[in-house]
Amino acid sequence: MYISQNMSDQSGIIKQLATGAPLLFHAEDDHNNQSIVEGGFLSGRNPFVFVPFAPLPTFIVQLVVIVCMSRFVKFFLSPIKQPAVIAETISGIILGPTCMGHIPYFSDTIFSKPSLPFLNLMSNFGLVLFLFLVGLELDPRMLKKSLRNSLTISLTGMALPFALGAGVSYILYTYMEPPSHQNGFTKYFLFLGVSFSITAFPVLARILTELELLKTKVGSITISAAAVDDATSWCLLALVISLINAGSGLIALYVFLMGLGYSFFLLFIVRPMFAWLLRRSGDGTQSHVMMFLALMIVFVSAFITDAIGIHAIFGGFLTGIIMPREGGFAFHITEKLEDIVSILFLPLYFALSGLRTSIGSLDDPLSWAIVLLVICVACFGKIFGCMLAAKITKMNWRESITVGCLMNCKGLVELIVLNLGYDAHVISQRTFAIMVIMALVTTFITVPLVSYIYPPVYHDKSDIQL
């Protein structure tokens, strides 16, 4: 599809969008098109039609629609204490091909395919900042509390789901992936193994806070185990992504080693220098210069990790981990960034996950049987593995089951991982839809299960048996 020289207004663009043809602009039309954009709707411009050289109006419309829909869905989920990521992903599913995409011209106007790369760019920019905040929450000092028990729960709770996920991946690969799948089974089962073994540390921290469990014995051990789980998962994922991007095992090893070397550089060189500057600045928490330096390290690290061949979000995550906690600097940065990231950027990213999720692609009984199998395997692997490890550490049955249910929360970290796999063409749209449903279900059931199994009357009463 193409726009002719005589098409000086955008009525023709709308007609072309209705036919599903792509928009291509000739160089000789640029001046006329630019005049329309600069003149606004009085010059014949339709602000709802995406124009590649002026994407801002479309992005603003997308932002408003996504954020408002997320808030609307969250309004109904708040009474049952569901985390925001559930509402944001469901809002994307509603706005996507599963639901509102069936409305004539809705997707072609609001979420047209040429506009999605710009939406993806902004959502990934916000994701880098969010992973920076996640890294800030992972205070290494917290891991020293109940370290032995937390390590036991975390590693056992990752090994069993990884093994089960790798096993289920054969069924998914056989029945859900097209014959032309380009990345091969090895990368596929490694990726799904990591996906099954993840616990969403940021969502879990908020759930524990809302249920007033954070300062209890169960909460303390669980949050430490989730922190170990989260850090280990990102390391495994970095290895898998480097293997996918590199194409060969030897190059993947070099990529991973370079990422490891850069991590040590941040930890042993950048962190001490930044801490020294922070002390020299006096009241560093109020210093715009220190805030500027912190953000520049985030973006430079994102660029370096992306250039290495891992992913830009790992740069943000690593920078968050190495930020000094002394003097409340980490808290100050979080306070400055958290609202803008959580209100605007995160809904974009997780709604984009929903937009990519076509539940209609699961159009036969076999597909839904596999969905049920994936959910059952994911829940069994995480809950049973962590419960068994918690019992070994001499927690009672009620506490052990509670730890397993909490560690089963996959939330936004799972969705981030799935998007990475989808973008890298490791998983198809059908596998993506199945895994998104699994992530939503495992996150959704966490609060009701924990509230039922471990109500406030049992908090810190370790002598009570189930």
Side-chain angles (χ1 to χ4, degrees), residues 371-385:
V371 170
L372 183 61
L373 173 67
V374 166
I375 293 172
C376 291
V377 169
C379 292
F380 174 80
K382 203 70 177 177
I383 294 176
F384 182 77

Side-chain angles (χ1 to χ4, degrees), residues 87-359:
E88 290 158 1
T89 307
I90 291 176
S91 69
I93 293 174
I94 293 172
L95 294 170
T98 301
C99 189
M100 295 183 71
H102 294 289
I103 299 175
Y105 311 127
F106 177 80
S107 293
D108 287 337
T109 303
I110 307 298
F111 298 105
S112 61
K113 287 185 178 179
S115 72
L116 293 183
F118 295 92
L119 181 62
N120 188 56
L121 171 66
M122 294 305 298
S123 65
N124 275 281
F125 175 79
L127 190 63
V128 170
L129 292 176
F130 173 70
L131 264 293
F132 170 59
L133 296 178
V134 171
L136 285 174
E137 288 185 3
L138 280 175
D139 190 345
R141 293 173 297 184
M142 180 182 62
L143 303 182
K144 296 179 182 179
K145 299 177 181 179
S146 308
L147 181 60
R148 183 179 176 182
N149 292 348
S150 300
L151 280 173
T152 303
I153 294 170
S154 177
L155 297 179
T156 307
M158 290 188 71
L160 182 58
F162 187 95
L164 292 175
V168 170
S169 67
Y170 180 77
I171 299 174
L172 285 166
Y173 191 82
T174 303
Y175 294 103
M176 294 291 105
E177 295 298 322
S180 59
H181 191 272
Q182 44 184 290
N183 271 304
F185 180 66
T186 301
K187 298 171 185 176
Y188 187 84
F189 95 78
L190 285 173
F191 179 82
L192 285 185
V194 173
S195 300
F196 272 79
S197 62
I198 278 171
T199 295
F201 175 82
V203 172
L204 183 60
R206 284 157 180 77
I207 289 176
L208 289 171
T209 302
E210 289 182 4
L211 296 179
E212 299 181 351
L213 284 171
L214 200 56
K215 295 183 180 180
T216 66
K217 172 185 173 183
V218 167
S220 175
I221 291 177
T222 303
I223 198 67
S224 299
V228 175
D229 193 312
D230 210 40
T232 307
S233 297
W234 286 116
C235 291
L236 289 174
L237 185 63
L239 180 60
V240 174
I241 293 297
S242 64
L243 182 62
I244 293 166
N245 292 339
S248 72
L250 186 60
I251 296 177
L253 178 62
Y254 290 150
V255 168
F256 183 74
L257 290 176
M258 288 177 67
L260 193 62
Y262 182 66
S263 302
F264 288 137
F265 171 76
L266 287 174
L267 183 61
F268 295 111
I269 296 179
V270 175
R271 188 185 190 281
M273 290 178 62
F274 193 90
W276 179 78
L277 288 172
L278 191 61
R279 289 191 297 269
R280 287 291 300 270
S281 67
D283 189 5
T285 61
Q286 303 299 323
S287 172
H288 290 279
V289 174
M290 298 309 299
M291 188 74 176
F292 161 77
L293 287 176
L295 290 176
M296 289 306 100
I297 295 172
V298 171
F299 297 133
V300 170
S301 292
F303 174 82
I304 290 174
T305 53
D306 187 75
I308 287 172
I310 305 176
H311 195 282
I313 62 173
F314 292 100
F317 180 69
L318 291 172
T319 306
I321 288 178
I322 62 100
M323 280 290 117
R325 269 69 181 174
E326 296 80 3
F329 182 69
F331 175 79
H332 176 69
I333 297 180
T334 302
E335 192 177 40
K336 289 283 187 181
L337 294 178
E338 190 170 32
D339 284 347
I340 191 70
V341 171
S342 61
I343 292 173
L344 295 182
F345 287 117
L346 279 188
L348 290 182
Y349 189 85
F350 297 116
L352 196 59
S353 300
L355 288 170
R356 290 172 162 179
T357 304
S358 178
I359 296 179

